[in-house]
Amino acid sequence: MRQGRSSLLGISHRTLRCRLTSLLAGFTNRRLLPRDPQRQGNRIPLKCSPLNLFLSFNFRQQRSFTLNAAAQTAPSKSGSLADGDSLKHIEDARRSGTLLRVRDYATFIEKCTRNGKLEEAFAIFEDLKQGKIGELTDFIYNSLIYGCVNAQQLSKASVLVTEMKEEGMRPDRATYTVLMNGFMRAGQLDKALSFFKEMGENRIQPDAVTYQSLIAGCGRLKNHKQAVALFEEMKKRGLQPNAPTSVSVIVAHIRSGATRQGFAIYEEVKAKKQRIGLGQFTEMIGACLANKNIDKAFELLQDMKTLGTTPSVITYNALMDGCVKAGKMQYVSPILAMMTEAGIAADAFTFTSLIDGYIRANEFDTALSFFEEMKAAQLQPTEVTYNVLIKGCGKDNRMDKALEFMKAMKEDGLQPSVFTFSSIINGYVLNGQVDNAVAAFRDMKKEGVQPNTVTYNTLLHGLMLAQQVDSTMKLFEEMKQQNLRPDEVTYTSLIDGCMKAGKTDLAFSLVEEMKNVKVPMNKQTFTALIDGCMKHAMEDQAELFYQQMKREKVHPNQVTFTSLIDGYTKLNRLDE
């Protein structure tokens, strides 16, 4: 005792007095008090005496068992707390008498959400909500919102935002940015933009990251007009876009046909010496090709090399595929030469594009030679490769070869899809083999492949060409029973077939059905009706359809006028 030590606690009276004073001061600190009588405080129960407080404090000092310490000593990967041990450590801490801090719980929630352990995070969150262990913070809400968005549980994230507001907390810029990114990834641009609007209403200023995320999302969702508007708004606020953001807007301009405006921004990016990455260059090249601006695509390829960005096989494949789809087969050989010069080997996608291009150019034998070269290079054909070849066989009246490719496809471990069977059916229809088309349709269903709208439309068209009207209408009813919505292609094919078969009443009833189910009539539909009416001496009805066509602002084509002129000529009504 003379040494100034407590026989009860084994420490000096002075130390005891200092610790008790510190604890009492902490106990009265506003941050540690509960927000309402029904909820426990942040870390110190109200019923504890100063001595109990001290003992608890001293026990913690001896054990050093806080969650942060536990997290530091836990393994970094598979054994980390966020990978399954969070609740276990929390329960261990409670049993040991350790008083945990809210920030410890918040840290665990944040780690759980980042590792996809939402169930654990919400278990801790529920305890916090019920007032068992402390108060909620905006950090906890933001962590949970991040986790929900990452797990694509967007409705749950929205509920958390509402709860957050009800708790008197204000979502910040980070909250809104995470929400907007999540909804844009889910394709819900309108919802993302509503959060952006809410930011403004709450006087939260968006920063460059917010705009960059929104503009990138608009670009991915093909809302080019919105991307450009946000870009202009961003610059007016004095925020400098980075290269990926500028590229998103360049692509938006090019895809919407404003190539000059897009390349003006591109020149600005180059003037600022902002680095454009391989992915961004490839994206711009793809946009130029989609707009059939081949020269600009090659100009960008040359710029890539000049600025020190090496094109990859993906870049050359994008260039190849764009030229093929634009019908510019003269560029194929130069692209292959550039790949060879750069030491880049053609892959399965390259060969598939080449095969597709030569089939489009009606050079089927050349396409087959590239397929053989592909196999010689020990490259595995993909489902797309086989589908392109099967479609080409139908176009070239080689249906036996198409069946061989389907067999080879199965031998390669690839299952024929709805696109494969649709190509087979289309090939038979093109070659007037409707019975074989019907048989392929049955085989398709036997193999468990469900026909889609395109499949039904193809077979309906084939049956109508064979003037099998009754079978066609029976198949049409089956299509509707399968909950597949007929479109304007379906109805136009049926109406055209009925008019040619002289079943005008059935054709007119289909017109009424189109109106009832709100499927718009296009120029092909009107032309089929007008042509059929003229051939069946129903010129007054043809005139009514023509007037309706003009009222609905559907522009007639050459076939429409030819049908009207031929009809009136046969009726000796040349003045009309």
Side-chain angles (χ1 to χ4, degrees):
M1 294 291 289
R2 257 186 262 176
Q3 295 176 356
R5 301 188 68 80
S6 165
S7 59
L8 175 65
L9 300 170
I11 61 173
S12 71
H13 291 291
R14 182 177 179 182
T15 302
L16 173 59
R17 187 165 55 251
C18 288
R19 288 185 177 176
L20 285 172
T21 303
S22 175
L23 284 165
L24 287 169
F27 180 67
T28 57
N29 188 309
R30 187 171 182 269
R31 289 182 62 194
L32 301 181
L33 292 175
R35 285 181 295 175
D36 58 68
Q38 302 301 317
R39 179 172 287 184
Q40 286 288 339
N42 223 352
R43 58 188 267 197
I44 303 177
L46 290 172
K47 294 180 181 178
C48 285
S49 67
L51 181 59
N52 285 337
L53 291 172
F54 164 74
L55 291 172
S56 175
F57 178 85
N58 199 43
F59 185 80
R60 281 202 310 279
Q61 292 287 82
Q62 292 174 6
R63 286 286 303 275
S64 298
F65 189 68
T66 66
L67 292 184
N68 284 336
Q72 290 169 4
T73 58
S76 60
K77 289 186 180 178
S78 59
S80 70
L81 299 178
D83 284 342
D85 295 330
S86 305
L87 294 178
K88 177 182 176 296
H89 281 278
I90 288 170
E91 289 305 317
D92 286 349
R94 288 178 182 172
R95 281 195 298 271
S96 69
T98 303
L99 295 176
L100 305 176
R101 298 168 297 183
V102 166
R103 75 178 183 184
D104 293 323
Y105 288 110
T107 300
F108 263 105
I109 287 173
E110 193 265 344
K111 286 186 178 181
C112 287
T113 55
R114 287 195 178 276
N115 287 275
K117 301 291 182 180
L118 274 183
E119 190 176 337
E120 288 193 10
F122 272 97
I124 302 168
F125 177 65
E126 286 304 316
D127 275 357
L128 285 164
K129 277 177 71 176
Q130 293 168 22
K132 293 179 181 178
I133 52 178
E135 294 186 354
L136 298 166
T137 65
D138 54 358
F139 177 79
I140 291 170
Y141 271 108
N142 281 342
S143 296
L144 285 167
I145 289 166
Y146 169 86
C148 289
V149 166
N150 237 19
Q152 297 182 344
Q153 297 183 21
L154 299 179
S155 57
K156 208 166 188 176
S158 297
V159 169
L160 284 168
V161 174
T162 303
E163 283 185 19
M164 189 178 186
K165 294 173 186 174
E166 289 171 353
E167 288 285 339
M169 298 173 207
R170 185 182 177 190
D172 58 16
R173 187 187 298 121
T175 317
Y176 284 115
T177 302
V178 166
L179 286 165
M180 287 185 286
N181 277 333
F183 279 98
M184 284 188 294
R185 281 204 306 270
Q188 299 181 42
L189 181 59
D190 289 343
K191 184 68 175 175
L193 292 172
S194 73
F195 280 119
F196 182 66
K197 183 181 177 183
E198 190 177 307
M199 274 183 77
E201 290 169 352
N202 291 335
R203 297 183 180 180
I204 298 172
Q205 294 298 321
D207 61 5
V209 174
T210 311
Y211 277 108
Q212 286 159 10
S213 299
L214 274 172
I215 291 167
C218 289
R220 285 194 303 272
L221 296 172
K222 306 291 188 283
N223 193 326
H224 306 311
K225 186 177 180 181
Q226 187 66 57
V228 172
L230 287 165
F231 184 73
E232 294 302 321
E233 183 182 319
M234 181 183 185
K235 291 198 293 184
K236 283 178 184 176
R237 287 181 179 270
L239 299 170
Q240 291 302 312
N242 59 13
T245 306
S246 296
V247 168
S248 292
V249 178
I250 292 167
V251 168
H253 275 305
I254 294 171
R255 287 190 179 276
S256 59
T259 306
R260 185 164 40 172
Q261 290 91 319
F263 272 84
I265 297 170
Y266 172 63
E267 292 301 326
E268 289 176 13
V269 172
K270 288 200 296 182
K272 292 176 185 175
K273 296 185 177 179
Q274 291 180 326
R275 187 181 180 281
I276 302 174
L278 173 63
Q280 279 101 45
F281 266 116
T282 303
E283 194 178 356
M284 288 191 291
I285 288 170
C288 288
L289 294 167
N291 210 31
K292 297 187 178 180
N293 200 328
I294 309 296
D295 292 339
K296 283 293 185 185
F298 276 97
E299 183 183 314
L300 285 168
L301 182 70
Q302 188 56 48
D303 270 7
M304 277 183 81
K305 298 174 182 177
T306 304
L307 295 171
T309 301
T310 305
S312 69
V313 66
I314 296 172
T315 313
Y316 286 113
N317 281 346
L319 199 59
M320 177 84 72
D321 195 53
C323 291
V324 163
K325 285 184 170 59
K328 304 289 184 181
M329 293 302 292
Q330 66 269 29
Y331 291 104
V332 165
S333 294
I335 293 169
L336 287 172
M338 284 189 282
M339 289 177 73
T340 303
E341 185 181 346
I344 296 173
D347 62 9
F349 190 97
T350 317
F351 278 106
T352 300
S353 288
L354 287 165
I355 293 165
D356 184 34
Y358 283 106
I359 286 173
R360 287 169 185 257
N362 296 317
E363 296 182 37
F364 190 72
D365 290 332
T366 306
L368 288 178
S369 70
F370 274 110
F371 180 67
E372 293 303 320
E373 189 177 328
M374 180 182 186
K375 290 196 294 182
Q378 297 185 333
L379 291 170
Q380 178 66 44
T382 66
E383 181 192 327
V384 176
T385 314
Y386 280 114
N387 286 345
V388 166
L389 284 163
I390 289 168
K391 187 176 180 180
C393 289
K395 185 180 176 184
D396 205 55
N397 194 12
R398 301 193 195 186
M399 290 309 295
D400 290 342
K401 190 73 175 173
L403 296 178
E404 286 178 23
F405 279 127
M406 182 181 265
K407 183 181 176 183
M409 185 180 187
K410 292 177 180 178
E411 289 171 351
D412 282 347
L414 298 169
Q415 290 302 311
S417 67
V418 63
F419 303 104
T420 315
F421 278 105
S422 294
S423 295
I424 291 283
I425 292 166
N426 186 58
Y428 282 128
V429 168
L430 286 175
N431 293 287
Q433 301 175 41
V434 180
D435 291 341
N436 285 338
V438 172
F441 183 75
R442 288 174 184 153
D443 290 342
M444 177 184 191
K445 292 195 286 185
K446 281 179 186 175
E447 292 192 24
V449 180
Q450 293 302 313
N452 61 15
T453 302
V454 173
T455 318
Y456 274 103
N457 284 350
T458 304
L459 190 53
L460 287 168
H461 176 65
L463 289 168
M464 274 301 189
L465 285 176
Q467 295 190 343
Q468 297 182 25
V469 179
D470 292 340
S471 296
T472 306
M473 298 311 295
K474 185 179 177 181
L475 185 66
F476 178 57
E477 290 304 317
E478 179 190 309
M479 178 185 183
K480 290 189 283 187
Q481 287 168 8
Q482 294 297 318
N483 293 322
L484 290 171
R485 187 173 185 266
D487 56 17
E488 60 268 25
V489 176
T490 318
Y491 282 108
T492 299
S493 180
L494 294 174
I495 289 167
D496 186 45
C498 287
M499 293 301 285
K500 285 175 179 173
K503 295 184 178 290
T504 54
D505 289 343
L506 182 54
F508 296 155
S509 71
L510 288 165
V511 171
E512 285 302 310
E513 186 176 321
M514 282 185 82
K515 183 179 177 182
N516 293 334
V517 297
K518 297 182 179 178
V519 174
M521 292 167 63
N522 58 25
K523 66 177 68 178
Q524 286 78 21
T525 319
F526 279 112
T527 300
L529 285 163
I530 291 167
D531 184 60
C533 287
M534 282 298 190
K535 285 176 179 174
H536 292 290
M538 300 171 68
E539 63 276 6
D540 291 340
Q541 187 63 53
E543 184 64 30
L544 288 173
F545 282 125
Y546 178 63
Q547 294 303 324
Q548 182 184 345
M549 190 179 190
K550 291 199 292 184
R551 281 196 309 275
E552 295 181 11
K553 296 182 179 179
V554 178
H555 299 292
N557 57 20
Q558 185 178 351
V559 179
T560 316
F561 285 118
T562 301
S563 297
L564 285 166
I565 293 167
D566 286 349
Y568 282 123
T569 301
K570 288 176 183 177
L571 293 168
N572 292 319
R573 293 168 61 178
L574 296 177
D575 292 341
E576 297 184 44

